[in-house]
Amino acid sequence: MCGIVGYIGTQTASGILLEGLQKLEYRGYDSAGIAAIWEGEIHRVRAKGKLQNLQEKLANWQIPAPIGIGHTRWATHGKPEEHNAHPHTDVSGRIAVVQNGIIENYRELREELKAKGYVFHSETDTEVIPNLIADELQKLKAIDSKVSLLDATRQAVNQLEGAFALAVISADYPDELIAVRQQAPLSIGFGQGEFFCASDTPAMVAHTRTVLTLENGELARLTPTGVDVYNFAGDRLRKYPKTLNWNPILVEKQGFKHFMLKEIYEQPGVVRACLEAYLDSDWTVESTTSPIRLGLADSFYENLEQVQIVACGTSWHAGLVGKHLLEQLADIPTQVHYASEFRYAPTPLMPHTLTIGVTQSGETADTLSALDMEKRRRSEMGSKFAPKLLGITNRLDSTIGHLVDYLIDTHAGIEIGVAATKTFIAQLVAFYCLALDLAYRRKTIPLDRLDQIVTELRQLPAQIESILEVQERYVEQLAHEFVETQDFIFIGRGINFPIALEGALKLKEISYIHAEGYPAGEMKHGPIALLDAKVPVVAIAMPGLVFEKVLSNAQEAKARDARLIGVTPMDDQEAREVFDDLLPVPEVEELLSPLLTVIPLQFLAYHIAARRGLDVDQPRNLAKSVTVE
Ligand code: F6R
């Protein structure tokens, strides 16, 4: 996590850096800082807490430096205090560094540097880097007085272990900014006589859309006249920037109180865009091709016997829905793993396996590491075990885009609210499309059933719109009643069990209320002991295979005095009688219902958190892009 930015050009850097940091604040908001070079010195300002605090400190900062770096922090090593805030400088204050990532061998490096007389002022892993660069500069100068900041930085990064992205400046090299990437994202932006670097492109799109994404093991020297890219061995590389197809408006709130609310409202459009991209509008049961056009090469479909999904958090919940669909529609055995667990306890290798990584940021370190491990261990085996990796993401330009062989774009666009909403629903749509495509090709469901599902899928955007229209006011009012509640239980079964998990995760991450999701049938095996009048139970009860079962499980909760909230169709008399409060959704085929049932749960979490006066878009301790393992 953490966001880094850098600028070199002719304008005053501080304003541009602050603007960039605002767009990166979703990556971490424990502290922030900038450093710039002016009149032969490094000037640095840092502040604990949100970027706002740094902005206030900078209000009277009148240094027109045309080069600088900035950072917004998600604390890993060292508490979120000002002395741990980036940029960090070397002992002489001539070199400043911002870092995103973790330097795993920082303790050894720090001890070695301390023995040489370097003094440390923070508890961070990052502070070793400017000192290491200073040390390398000194060593190189002893051999050749014309040593460059690039060479010294290169020598230093070759000693670092871990995943990191860096931006480095030095008062002795006022026309150079060095950007480094090793397993943490970093892009370079090309303007007219000015250049940028940033952890993510929104930090630069106001100035340029010409962007080069650095690869792992690369470093770039930015000067006012251009950019050179090198590998860690020092070879100069030929690299070509790309033009981003981006609208900066997308990263504004557009009148909504929070990004999360705006993103909840974007969901019908996202589902529509994804369906338009992947459903063949001319398809009929007489057609001889699949109704789904994912644009995947033929090799993707060859020798596919099983699927394993790796993901984290909300994306893992999307993976659970994906498993249900792949197994029930396409008859493919599917396992879903927490990426952070899979990496250190991988399943035995099975032949002809598709590995799917699901991630909205495309940068989650656990997910990327799990995919990378799978790629490596399978590459060493025979062709039966050859790696086949598919990424499901809305960020094609991210690291997952470079790592996998096949990609499905979820068409959700960038999401700013830390709690995932529109990216989740888009991941679900991607899984529906994938499962239906495979079902067609493997002939696992009759064509008229396939046709029926595709037809109903097309109606979903309008149905989501109807939920948004009808429910917001009502959920807002209902939310008032739960402002003091301390525990919530969410229950669901079958394909809606992952939605119960997602409802609980949304609530806990933004409202800080303890919440658990359970398969409804499991309640009686222990968790029911938690229930009393103070613990509301939200039950997802959609007509279908498990409808009656969920209603019975809800009754069991009611018998223990729990207040029952039902996510269920409006006109179901039976459900109306069971629940104390209804969050109604249109009646829809059970298989498709997760695309509707998740919406009221997002609203509920949002309104409870907003009512509690919490920072919905930037909940405590979290970050949007989790780039540390
Ligand atoms: C919850 C949330 C997180 C992410 C998780 C994985 O609202 O957003 O649980 O789902 O950190 O992130 P991605 O999808 O970027 O891999």
Side-chain angles (χ1 to χ4, degrees):
M1 11 265 241
C2 300
I4 67 180
V5 282
Y7 174 79
I8 184 163
T10 50
Q11 304 187 59
T12 299
S14 54
I16 293 173
L17 296 174
L18 268 181
E19 259 175 50
L21 290 178
Q22 266 164 5
K23 300 288 186 279
L24 296 180
E25 213 184 359
Y26 71 86
R27 301 178 68 89
Y29 29 83
D30 290 332
S31 65
I34 65 166
I37 306 172
W38 182 240
E39 295 182 333
E41 301 290 333
I42 293 218
H43 299 262
R44 174 173 70 157
V45 182
R46 300 179 296 170
K48 177 181 168 172
K50 295 255 178 133
L51 192 58
Q52 178 66 29
N53 300 347
L54 178 68
Q55 262 164 331
E56 282 162 18
K57 272 193 159 180
L58 282 169
N60 298 318
W61 211 58
Q62 293 185 339
I63 294 182
I67 170 170
I69 54 179
H71 189 267
T72 178
R73 179 168 187 245
W74 186 82
T76 57
H77 295 66
K79 288 195 166 179
E81 299 292 345
E82 185 173 325
H83 70 279
N84 286 326
H86 300 217
H88 288 284
T89 60
D90 71 314
V91 73
S92 70
R94 309 280 306 155
I95 299 169
V97 170
V98 286
Q99 194 241 148
N100 166 31
I102 291 184
I103 309 303
E104 286 167 2
N105 59 337
Y106 83 102
R107 279 196 197 82
E108 298 95 284
L109 292 169
R110 192 166 61 181
E111 290 316 307
E112 285 167 24
L113 288 162
K114 270 187 180 170
K116 290 183 186 172
Y118 290 87
V119 180
F120 288 82
H121 303 284
S122 76
E123 292 94 55
T124 66
D125 51 342
T126 303
E127 202 181 359
V128 296
I129 304 170
N131 287 302
L132 201 56
I133 297 172
D135 199 51
E136 288 304 324
L137 270 173
Q138 214 176 39
K139 282 196 229 156
L140 290 169
K141 267 186 196 152
I143 307 166
D144 177 358
S145 59
K146 280 208 215 119
V147 55
S148 71
L149 180 62
L150 179 83
D151 284 338
T153 306
R154 194 169 58 74
Q155 299 291 359
V157 296
N158 274 311
Q159 297 168 56
L160 303 180
E161 287 168 18
F164 52 86
L166 311 175
V168 182
I169 53 171
S170 165
D172 299 318
Y173 298 85
D175 294 327
E176 282 184 42
L177 189 159
I178 311 297
V180 184
R181 176 189 174 134
Q182 177 65 337
Q183 317 271 5
L186 195 62
S187 298
I188 311 290
F190 292 68
Q192 296 286 337
E194 56 182 5
F195 300 91
F196 309 80
C197 67
S199 304
D200 199 358
T201 44
M204 306 188 284
V205 284
H207 304 282
T208 179
R209 295 196 200 165
T210 310
V211 168
L212 170 71
T213 304
L214 289 180
E215 306 275 342
N216 291 334
E218 290 182 354
L219 68 177
R221 172 170 36 203
L222 286 62
T223 70
T225 53
V227 176
D228 305 323
V229 182
Y230 300 82
N231 60 21
F232 281 11
D235 307 313
R236 188 152 170 207
L237 308 171
R238 263 174 200 276
K239 307 281 284 191
Y240 300 99
K242 287 190 185 150
T243 306
L244 292 178
N245 165 17
W246 251 86
N247 179 355
I249 302 274
L250 290 177
V251 281
E252 304 298 336
K253 278 195 207 138
Q254 294 174 302
F256 284 90
K257 193 166 171 213
H258 294 102
F259 278 109
M260 181 177 174
L261 192 58
K262 172 185 168 234
E263 287 154 359
I264 289 174
Y265 273 94
E266 280 172 0
Q267 293 179 110
V270 165
V271 174
R272 210 169 263 131
C274 204
L275 294 177
E276 263 168 29
Y278 296 131
L279 297 190
D280 178 354
S281 50
D282 297 327
W283 190 83
T284 66
V285 283
E286 274 84 44
S287 302
T288 52
T289 52
S290 169
I292 313 291
R293 303 249 165 111
L294 290 171
L296 301 170
D298 291 346
S299 54
F300 175 80
Y301 300 97
E302 286 160 12
N303 297 327
L304 211 171
E305 285 173 12
Q306 53 219 316
V307 173
Q308 53 188 11
I309 300 171
V310 288
C312 307
T314 288
S315 297
W316 183 77
H317 298 157
L320 292 178
V321 176
K323 169 186 163 72
H324 189 101
L325 297 171
L326 289 165
E327 290 187 337
Q328 303 308 316
L329 291 173
D331 205 19
I332 304 183
T334 303
Q335 297 179 18
V336 190
H337 301 277
Y338 286 117
S340 54
E341 292 293 317
F342 183 76
R343 183 153 184 229
Y344 297 100
T347 46
L349 280 176
M350 302 294 279
H352 304 309
T353 302
L354 167 67
T355 306
I356 305 180
V358 192
T359 166
Q360 59 78 29
S361 62
E363 301 292 352
T364 298
D366 289 320
T367 305
L368 296 177
S369 302
L371 290 171
D372 193 47
M373 182 203 70
E374 201 56 9
K375 190 173 195 166
R376 282 168 200 270
R377 69 172 183 152
R378 285 182 174 271
S379 301
E380 288 159 13
M381 310 290 288
S383 61
K384 263 183 16 181
F385 295 93
K388 183 182 282 185
L389 306 186
L390 167 72
I392 296 184
T393 185
N394 41 304
R395 301 296 305 273
L396 299 186
D397 55 335
S398 65
T399 305
I400 196 171
H402 300 272
L403 184 65
V404 297
D405 321 301
Y406 307 95
L407 269 174
I408 298 181
D409 179 0
T410 65
H411 293 274
I414 189 156
E415 186 174 67
I416 305 290
V418 163
T421 51
K422 65 170 180 170
T423 53
F424 173 69
I425 208 156
Q427 290 166 352
L428 296 189
V429 178
F431 271 118
Y432 280 96
C433 291
L434 179 65
L436 289 168
D437 189 26
L438 292 174
Y440 173 84
R441 290 166 192 266
R442 294 161 66 91
K443 301 188 175 41
T444 48
I445 57 172
L447 286 178
D448 50 356
R449 169 82 176 123
L450 192 65
D451 189 34
Q452 181 203 357
I453 298 174
V454 169
T455 307
E456 290 199 24
L457 260 179
R458 288 187 199 284
Q459 290 161 14
L460 279 159
Q463 289 173 323
I464 299 171
E465 265 154 10
S466 77
I467 301 177
L468 294 175
E469 235 165 69
V470 173
Q471 273 196 23
E472 199 191 347
R473 273 283 163 77
Y474 173 69
V475 180
E476 195 177 354
Q477 279 164 11
L478 185 66
H480 294 187
E481 300 179 36
F482 299 113
V483 172
E484 301 298 329
T485 301
Q486 293 188 350
D487 304 279
F488 257 92
I489 301 286
F490 290 74
I491 56 174
R493 282 181 95 137
I495 198 164
N496 274 306
F497 163 54
I499 303 304
L501 292 177
E502 177 60 6
L505 177 60
K506 284 294 89 96
L507 185 66
K508 60 188 148 191
E509 70 181 323
I510 61 170
S511 74
Y512 316 147
I513 293 174
H514 170 244
E516 298 292 341
Y518 286 104
E522 269 299 296
M523 286 297 289
K524 56 188 174 295
H525 298 290
I528 201 163
L530 294 169
L531 297 187
D532 62 24
K534 289 197 227 111
V535 183
V537 173
V538 181
I540 305 166
M542 293 302 283
L545 195 62
V546 290
F547 183 53
E548 295 297 338
K549 303 275 174 213
V550 176
L551 289 183
S552 305
N553 300 140
Q555 295 275 22
E556 289 153 18
K558 197 170 183 172
R560 273 81 191 173
D561 293 331
R563 178 162 170 184
L564 271 189
I565 303 161
V567 177
T568 192
M570 172 77 92
D571 353 308
D572 192 282
Q573 192 54 35
E574 198 181 351
R576 288 179 80 90
E577 279 164 20
V578 173
F579 294 111
D580 300 307
D581 305 280
L582 286 184
L583 297 176
V585 293
E587 183 154 358
V588 67
E589 133 122 46
E590 189 180 26
L591 189 83
L592 298 177
S593 62
L595 291 163
L596 300 184
T597 53
V598 72
I599 310 282
L601 302 188
Q602 295 170 342
F603 257 158
L604 187 67
Y606 171 80
H607 283 297
I608 293 178
R611 188 71 196 167
R612 283 162 73 99
L614 298 171
D615 190 344
V616 173
D617 285 333
Q618 295 179 342
R620 70 183 179 202
N621 306 339
L622 297 180
K624 186 75 182 156
S625 178
V626 186
T627 54
V628 294
E629 276 188 60

